Amino acid sequence: MTESPPRARFSICLLEDAAGRLLFLKRAPDRVIGPDLWGFPAGHIEDGETPEDCARRELREEIGLRHELKELARLGPRRDSLFGGIYEVHLFHYR
């Protein structure tokens, strides 16, 4: 059986500083997925955008342009395990 195309694709960023602290953000109360919950910076992969471009765009939006990012690891694509596999997820770990 062929797997159906994902309903949406997301990049999720684990961002740690030199002290090993991770950045968590509180989601807005009007979000469809996880309203008012804490999570990692993440975003919807736009048409024509690579997962890495999406991850870096999301981090620019959250922390600005004055930071140098070093990619430590990446994982994906993977299907989600909470919503029945309808979402494709790419995970990036930066310092």
Side-chain angles (χ1 to χ4, degrees), residues 23-31 33-42 62:
L23 175 65
F24 284 89
L25 304 172
K26 189 168 185 186
R27 296 181 59 80
D30 62 344
R31 300 305 299 186
I33 300 173
D36 272 331
L37 297 178
W38 290 89
F40 296 115
E62 300 300 343

Side-chain angles (χ1 to χ4, degrees), residues 15 23 56-69:
L15 180 61
L23 175 65
R56 290 185 175 269
R57 174 178 51 81
E58 288 298 325
L59 288 177
R60 279 193 310 274
E61 291 172 5
E62 300 300 343
I63 65 173
L65 298 171
R66 296 179 20 196
H67 301 276
E68 183 177 324
L69 297 174

Side-chain angles (χ1 to χ4, degrees), residues 35-57:
D36 272 331
L37 297 178
W38 290 89
F40 296 115
H44 179 264
I45 300 171
E46 313 264 334
D47 287 338
E49 185 176 46
T50 68
E52 181 178 6
D53 288 341
C54 174
R56 290 185 175 269
R57 174 178 51 81

